[in-house]
């Protein structure tokens, strides 16, 4: 039909419908929520670049790393790898125990960060908190080579890694909180997959580039890795500050139709209300689903940190790989997991759109990440006679590990949407315990580096995954708990009338939509996704007169609603 035959109102309505359809597609260049997810993915990738660089760089930092001759499962000798040809400039002489303290310091910092994460995110906007966390990592990464070269004592580098770990502990809760505000239920698994994919992408790239830079003939080799990753993160922080936002309404780029799609509301024509909820600590601590989430968070971090930290050592001691080959094989499992996490996340969201319950989806995928992955973890050391086969088993295990995203990771943002930051911080507590215990226990078990010791390590990892899988199958689910929804019963209301405050703590308030605003001590939150309720006193006849451009300007404007002026007493 020719546009000339249509009235201006009809053309405007058609354009509004087309724009709405475009904004409902997640995988669209115009979808601001996809852009937000990709920005969060980049944040995680920058963090993982700086986090994983130490695993291989420590080989170049220490003057001499001797890997003992070991025996494989056929009791045949596996020769120690030949000396690697990397730059010997700017090296120090640290013992294995001192190297272990450097690794542990990072996770101690991350462990302490989660104790304050909930308060920090509730007190401050997650956007600048994420920027500050990355700045801590970037500055620490740039300062790390100077602490080694100029000070040369391992405790100075451990202190730098501690500060980096503290910043790292803030990144995941901030990202999950932002995802809970930006994405509807049918897209949360995909959003979490995109976000956490940055972890594997950063680790994989770190393994490759750090191994290459260690062999560079200029700049000392390994210092280039730390400085380069730090500068790259600084560039990202600038981009994030200009482009990112914590909530859809705060974005300068989102359209009214996409905002309506995210919030699940249609015909939005009025103001937003600001409310907060009291944190139900008793319900969180004694929730069976939250407990299952915490157990799985422990298991995932335990196994992941074990792989990040000790897979290079396993490859050298049990499989006899040199640094170049080791760096390549250490990166492959994480690149594979990058792809599978996205596939699992999109598969899970497709199942939900076809009518599968969120609980059934999380059960199925969490079972894959625990029971199926544990099988290949057990098989990895059994195939040590063939290094290629052994590493393929590791790759398969890490690929299935990606199913955690639509599993318990998605439950974190579903079980209590109003308290995502709190639950994320709480499960991060258990996650960091797993991160601390893994290098400590594996270091004790593998003192001699024999095949039997490494087989024991992999059996331990599989056992932890199986126990976590059983916990989630019994107690876990993907639905919102009754105490995690905003039904208004947990609000402390403060009514404003003629400049006077009348506080009520029983959840009730005077029925005046123009002079009553919910509040509780500590802070004021925007209702999730800035939920905007339709005005009852706005007649249909008046509403029809509002054009689409006018509606968009009202939704995206930071100016107060004219009808809210009475709140200021003017």
């Amino acid at each position: 039909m020719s546009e000339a035959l249509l009235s201006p109102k009809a053309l405007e309505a058609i354009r509004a419908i087309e724009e709405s359809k475009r904004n409902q597609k997640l995988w669209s260049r115009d979808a601001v929520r996809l852009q937000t997810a990709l920005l969060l993915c980049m944040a995680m990738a920058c963090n993982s670049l700086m986090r994983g660089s130490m695993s291989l760089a420590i080989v170049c930092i220490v003057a001499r790393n001797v890997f003992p001759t070991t025996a494989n499962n056929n009791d045949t000798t596996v020769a120690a790898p030949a000396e690697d040809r990397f730059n010997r400039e700017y090296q120090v002489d640290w013992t294995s125990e001192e190297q272990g303290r450097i690794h542990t310091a990072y996770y101690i910092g991350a462990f302490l960060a989660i104790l304050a994460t909930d308060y920090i995110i509730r007190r401050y906007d997650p956007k600048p908190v994420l920027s500050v966390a990355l700045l801590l990592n970037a500055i620490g990464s740039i300062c790390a080579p100077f602490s080694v070269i100029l000070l040369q004592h391992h405790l100075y580098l451990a202190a730098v890694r501690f500060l980096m770990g503290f910043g790292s502990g803030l990144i995941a809760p901030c990202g999950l909180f932002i995802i809970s505000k930006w994405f509807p239920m049918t897209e949360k698994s995909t959003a979490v997959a995109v976000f956490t994919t940055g972890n594997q992408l950063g680790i994989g790239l770190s393994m490759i580039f750090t191994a290459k830079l260690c062999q560079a003939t200029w700049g000392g080799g390994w210092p280039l890795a730390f400085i380069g990753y730090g500068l790259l993160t600084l560039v990202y922080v600038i981009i994030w500050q200009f482009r990112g936002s914590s909530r859809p309404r705060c974005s300068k780029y989102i359209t009214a139709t996409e905002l309506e799609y995210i919030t699940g509301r249609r015909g939005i024509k009025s103001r937003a209300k600001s409310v907060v909820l009291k944190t139900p600590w008793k319900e969180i601590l004694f929730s069976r689903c939250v407990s299952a989430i915490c157990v799985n968070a422990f298991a995932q971090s335990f196994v992941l940190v074990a792989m990040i930290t000790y897979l290079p050592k396993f490859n050298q001691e049990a499989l006899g790989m040199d640094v170049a080959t080791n760096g390549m094989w250490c990166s492959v499992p994480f690149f594979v997991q990058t792809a599978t996490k996205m596939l699992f996340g999109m598969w899970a969201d497709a199942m939900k759109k076809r009518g599968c319950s969120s609980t059934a989806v999380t059960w199925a995928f969490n079972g894959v990440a625990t029971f199926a992955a544990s099988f290949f973890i057990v098989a990895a050391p059994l195939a040590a006679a063939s290094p290629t086969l052994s590493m393929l088993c590791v790759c398969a295990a890490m690929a299935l590990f990606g199913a955690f995203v639509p599993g318990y990771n998605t439950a974190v943002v579903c079980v209590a949407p109003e308290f995502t930051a709190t639950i994320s911080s709480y499960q991060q507590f258990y996650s960091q315990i797993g991160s601390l215990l893994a290098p400590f226990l594996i270091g004790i078990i593998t003192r001699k580096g024999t095949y039997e010791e490494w087989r024991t390590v992999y059996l331990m990892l599989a056992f932890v995954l199986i126990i976590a899988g059983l916990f989630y199958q019994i107690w876990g689910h993907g639905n919102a708990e009754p105490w995690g929804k905003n039904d208004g019963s947990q609000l402390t209301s403060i009514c404003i009338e003629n400049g006077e405050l009348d506080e009520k703590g029983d959840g009730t308030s005077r029925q005046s939509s123009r002079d009553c605003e919910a509040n509780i001590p500590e802070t004021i939150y925007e209702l999730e996704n800035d939920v905007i309720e339709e005005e009852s006193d706005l007649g249909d006849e008046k509403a029809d007169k509002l054009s689409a451009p006018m509606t968009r300007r009202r939704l995206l404007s930071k100016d107060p609603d004219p009808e809210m002026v009475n709140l200021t007493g003017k």
Side-chain angles (χ1 to χ4, degrees):
M1 183 181 293
S2 174
E3 293 187 359
L5 300 177
L6 299 176
S7 65
K9 288 186 177 180
L11 289 173
E12 185 177 355
I14 292 174
R15 285 194 293 267
I17 292 173
E18 291 176 351
E19 182 183 8
S20 177
K21 290 180 178 180
R22 286 197 304 270
N23 288 324
Q24 289 182 19
K25 295 180 180 179
L26 176 60
W27 298 103
S28 169
R29 65 179 183 178
D30 297 324
V32 180
R33 62 191 187 281
L34 175 61
Q35 298 170 16
T36 301
L38 292 175
L39 283 173
L40 293 174
C41 174
M42 291 171 61
M44 185 65 80
C46 290
N47 177 64
S48 297
L49 274 172
M50 297 177 287
R51 172 191 178 190
S53 59
M54 186 58 67
S55 297
L56 277 174
I58 198 72
V59 178
C60 308
I61 294 173
V62 178
R64 179 74 175 176
N65 278 275
V66 179
F67 297 94
T69 303
T70 58
N72 63 11
N73 53 328
N74 294 324
D75 294 328
T76 58
T77 300
V78 177
E83 183 178 355
D84 296 289
R85 297 178 180 178
F86 47 75
N87 199 304
R88 297 294 177 180
E89 191 177 3
Y90 304 139
Q91 291 189 323
V92 292
D93 187 14
W94 291 339
T95 65
S96 58
E97 290 79 9
E98 292 171 337
Q99 298 172 43
R101 291 170 194 164
I102 295 171
H103 288 301
T104 305
Y106 184 91
Y107 297 105
I108 293 176
F111 177 80
L112 294 179
I114 64 170
L115 301 178
T117 298
D118 180 57
Y119 172 79
I120 292 174
I121 295 179
R122 290 174 63 86
R123 179 69 176 173
Y124 304 102
D125 185 14
K127 175 183 174 179
V129 172
L130 181 62
S131 297
V132 171
L134 288 171
L135 283 175
L136 279 176
N137 276 268
I139 295 172
S141 183
I142 294 172
C143 292
F146 299 99
S147 67
V148 175
I149 297 170
L150 300 178
L151 303 176
Q152 296 197 346
H153 198 285
H154 75 282
L155 290 180
Y156 293 106
L157 180 58
V160 171
R161 294 289 291 179
F162 171 85
L163 293 176
M164 294 175 65
F166 187 88
S168 178
L170 300 173
I171 293 174
C174 286
L176 290 175
F177 179 89
I178 294 172
I179 286 174
S180 72
K181 303 300 181 185
W182 268 92
F183 293 87
M185 178 62 70
T186 55
E187 295 178 352
K188 286 189 186 295
S189 292
T190 301
V192 173
V194 173
F195 170 50
T196 56
T197 292
N199 188 33
Q200 281 66 41
L201 184 63
I203 293 172
L205 292 175
S206 178
M207 294 291 183
I208 293 177
F209 291 131
T210 303
K212 294 296 183 181
L213 290 172
C214 280
Q215 303 176 60
T217 57
W218 56 278
W222 64 265
L224 299 176
F226 292 92
I227 296 174
Y229 301 154
L231 293 177
L232 181 63
T233 303
L234 291 177
V235 173
Y236 167 79
V237 171
I238 296 174
I239 297 174
W240 169 251
Q241 281 299 115
F242 281 98
R243 189 74 187 184
S245 61
S246 299
R247 295 175 175 84
R249 187 187 63 83
C250 300
S251 175
K252 300 177 182 178
Y253 308 98
I254 195 170
T255 62
T257 51
E258 185 173 10
L259 179 62
E260 292 178 17
Y261 176 74
I262 292 172
T263 60
R265 303 297 179 100
R266 300 296 181 265
I268 298 173
K269 298 180 178 67
S270 67
R271 70 180 187 275
K273 293 183 179 180
S274 296
V275 299
V276 286
L277 301 175
K278 294 180 180 179
T279 302
W281 285 110
K282 181 179 178 181
E283 287 78 5
I284 291 175
L285 294 176
F286 291 97
S287 169
R288 292 184 177 182
C289 182
V290 174
S291 298
I293 288 172
C294 293
V295 172
N296 280 265
F298 172 91
Q300 183 182 22
S301 291
F302 189 89
V303 177
L304 186 60
V305 170
M307 289 295 179
I308 294 172
T309 308
Y310 283 97
L311 185 58
K313 188 176 180 182
F314 169 75
N315 291 344
Q316 288 185 321
E317 291 186 350
L319 305 182
M321 295 183 182
D322 57 29
V323 168
T325 306
N326 196 351
M328 181 194 70
W329 274 115
C330 284
S331 65
V332 171
F334 298 104
F335 284 131
V336 171
Q337 191 181 8
T338 299
T340 58
K341 288 174 74 171
M342 292 300 305
L343 293 175
F344 284 136
M346 292 187 290
W347 187 7
D349 283 338
M351 292 173 64
K352 293 175 189 176
K353 290 179 180 178
R354 293 178 182 175
C356 294
S357 69
S358 180
T359 296
V361 171
T362 59
W363 279 347
F365 284 97
N366 211 78
V368 170
T370 52
F371 303 132
S374 64
F375 171 81
F376 288 99
I377 287 179
V378 172
L382 299 179
S386 173
T388 301
L389 181 59
S390 179
M391 291 310 301
L392 289 177
C393 289
V394 173
C395 291
M398 297 305 291
L400 297 175
F401 217 55
F404 268 131
V405 170
Y408 91 91
N409 286 153
T410 298
V412 172
V413 297
C414 296
V415 67
E418 295 292 341
F419 309 102
T420 298
T422 303
I423 293 176
S424 176
S425 300
Y426 182 54
Q427 62 96 15
Q428 281 288 316
F429 177 83
Y430 291 87
S431 177
Q432 294 304 327
I433 291 177
S435 299
L436 284 171
L437 284 179
F440 175 76
L441 292 178
I442 295 176
I444 293 177
I445 296 173
T446 60
R447 287 178 176 175
K448 297 181 180 179
T450 63
Y451 164 77
E452 288 75 16
E453 291 175 344
W454 283 112
R455 182 177 60 184
T456 301
V457 167
Y458 278 76
L459 288 174
M460 178 180 65
L461 299 180
F463 175 77
V464 170
L465 285 178
I466 291 173
I467 295 299
L470 291 175
F471 263 85
Y472 194 84
Q473 296 300 317
I474 297 172
W475 285 350
H477 62 74
N479 300 322
E481 296 277 3
W483 48 266
K485 301 177 182 178
N486 176 25
D487 57 4
S489 61
Q490 304 177 63
L491 299 179
T492 299
S493 298
I494 298 179
C495 294
I496 307 175
E497 185 173 8
N498 297 325
E500 296 180 358
L501 299 182
D502 182 16
E503 181 174 348
K504 296 184 178 184
D506 57 358
T508 62
S509 62
R510 298 178 185 177
Q511 300 301 315
S512 175
S513 62
R514 293 193 179 100
D515 59 4
C516 187
E517 185 169 319
N519 187 17
I520 66 169
E522 293 186 351
T523 184
I524 295 180
Y525 260 122
E526 294 293 338
L527 186 63
E528 183 172 2
N529 288 332
D530 301 310
V531 175
I532 303 175
E533 298 182 353
E534 185 173 358
E535 288 285 356
S536 60
D537 59 349
L538 184 61
D540 294 337
E541 182 178 352
K542 181 180 178 182
D544 292 338
K545 295 180 180 180
L546 293 175
S547 64
M550 290 176 62
T551 304
R552 184 177 296 107
R553 286 196 296 269
R554 171 66 58 80
L555 286 170
L556 301 183
S557 175
K558 295 184 179 179
D559 296 329
D561 192 310
E563 297 183 9
M564 295 291 288
V565 174
N566 291 335
L567 283 175
T568 64
K570 296 181 180 180

